[in-house]
Amino acid sequence: MLNTLATGSGPTLVWAHGLMYSMQFESQTGWFHPLKDDGIQRLRFDARGHGLSPVGNGMQDYLWSAQATDMLNVARHQTFAPIALGGQSMGSAAALLAALQRPHEVTCLILATPPCFWQSRPLQVQRYRQMQRLLQQRGIDSLIALAKRYPALPAWLLEARPEHAKAALQAMRQMSQDSLMDMLEAACQCDLPPPDSLSALQIPTLILAWRDDPIHPLHSAEQLAAKLPQAQLQVIDNAAQLADWPQQISNFVLQHAG
């Protein structure tokens, strides 16, 4: 069973975190979730091999499509009512794929810092291959040391909240080398479906993006905003704006609650 956490009361938002992150990481940073009940129920979970959830049975368990299935299963263990889906990076891809699977069960989508996809995906795959080689040759401690030297966060966020980089390293230290290799291999195989399939998705969507992050480029968010017919895009570039995201997420869920 995946490690799950339900907090708050009201319409349900099922949320998925990013690659190599966890629920604990998101609680430490406060990017998406408030400290107090704000009118919605947040149903969160650690993805396979992350946080306190068990590892998968192989690369296939870490594909975005498999995570979308996990997300829907987590939701249906909690409620059969319509739900909002959301996530960050890898989690946003899982949420989008889950919505494509069951669009009539989803009230709205929140896609935070979408990952590279389509034309930009090959460059990200190159990064994952480099990480795999480092893991194979020198082990996970070397990968963590590299992440410490080059944090995968925008400079403006690192300057304002340096503790967030430390939280990311802590999340990485909880992972096993073998499962991380499988995750990276799965990430190399993942991409979003063709644009035409997104254009048919009639679900209100809030896209939250930030500037100055090559791993989660603004172009990804802009492409989604252009292809999803009911999307609205918000772009930030400072920590004060980031602090508004939890309330904006809750307001969006409440606005579109079934």
Side-chain angles (χ1 to χ4, degrees):
M1 293 291 291
L2 299 179
N3 181 42
T4 62
L5 176 67
T7 57
S9 59
T12 299
L13 166 64
V14 186
W15 185 270
H17 61 73
L19 179 63
M20 295 186 285
Y21 288 166
S22 65
M23 286 195 293
Q24 181 183 20
F25 169 82
E26 290 192 337
S27 295
Q28 289 174 318
T29 61
W31 293 348
F32 312 113
H33 312 298
L35 296 176
K36 299 180 180 179
D37 185 354
D38 61 354
I40 72 170
Q41 176 180 245
R42 279 174 164 81
L43 182 56
R44 301 161 57 199
F45 64 98
D46 284 329
R48 296 182 189 275
H50 296 73
L52 300 180
S53 284
V55 299
N57 293 318
M59 181 273 291
Q60 69 279 356
D61 283 348
Y62 301 113
L63 295 170
W64 289 350
S65 56
Q67 293 178 55
T69 299
D70 283 343
M71 192 174 202
L72 292 170
N73 288 338
V74 166
R76 290 305 164 229
H77 276 94
Q78 183 75 14
T79 179
F80 286 97
I83 53 173
L85 296 177
Q88 187 257 337
S89 187
M90 173 187 77
S92 71
L96 182 54
L97 293 180
L100 287 166
Q101 287 184 37
R102 299 184 187 174
H104 300 298
E105 300 177 18
V106 180
T107 61
C108 65
L109 276 170
I110 298 96
L111 309 178
T113 66
C116 297
F117 55 85
W118 298 339
Q119 299 96 328
S120 64
R121 194 66 188 170
L123 179 58
Q124 185 60 29
V125 168
Q126 290 181 20
R127 296 187 182 105
Y128 290 144
R129 293 299 186 201
Q130 291 171 349
M131 294 169 69
Q132 285 182 309
R133 286 192 292 271
L134 184 60
L135 276 174
Q136 290 174 325
Q137 296 169 4
R138 302 178 62 181
I140 194 168
D141 288 342
S142 293
L143 185 61
I144 292 172
L146 183 66
K148 183 177 181 180
R149 185 175 180 183
Y150 301 105
L153 294 174
W156 55 262
L157 180 54
L158 288 170
E159 181 178 356
R161 299 287 187 270
E163 68 273 15
H164 291 184
K166 295 179 181 179
L169 295 175
Q170 181 181 351
M172 288 183 67
R173 292 189 181 101
Q174 292 182 285
M175 308 180 78
S176 74
Q177 180 166 324
D178 289 344
S179 63
L180 184 52
M181 282 291 293
D182 283 341
M183 289 175 204
L184 292 171
E185 183 59 38
C188 290
Q189 308 302 322
C190 290
D191 203 348
L192 290 185
D196 287 349
S197 63
L198 302 189
S199 300
L201 192 63
Q202 296 291 336
I203 296 177
T205 303
L206 174 63
I207 302 172
L208 300 172
W210 56 30
R211 298 186 188 277
D212 306 323
D213 181 352
I215 308 301
H216 309 95
L218 180 57
H219 182 60
S220 289
E222 291 172 337
Q223 283 186 297
L224 287 178
K227 295 301 180 182
L228 292 166
Q230 296 190 45
Q232 61 185 71
L233 172 62
Q234 295 188 17
V235 182
I236 66 169
D237 58 11
N238 62 69
Q241 294 171 324
L242 178 59
D244 292 334
W245 274 6
Q247 189 62 59
Q248 290 175 13
I249 290 170
S250 297
N251 290 346
F252 194 77
V253 173
L254 288 168
Q255 178 184 351
H256 298 287

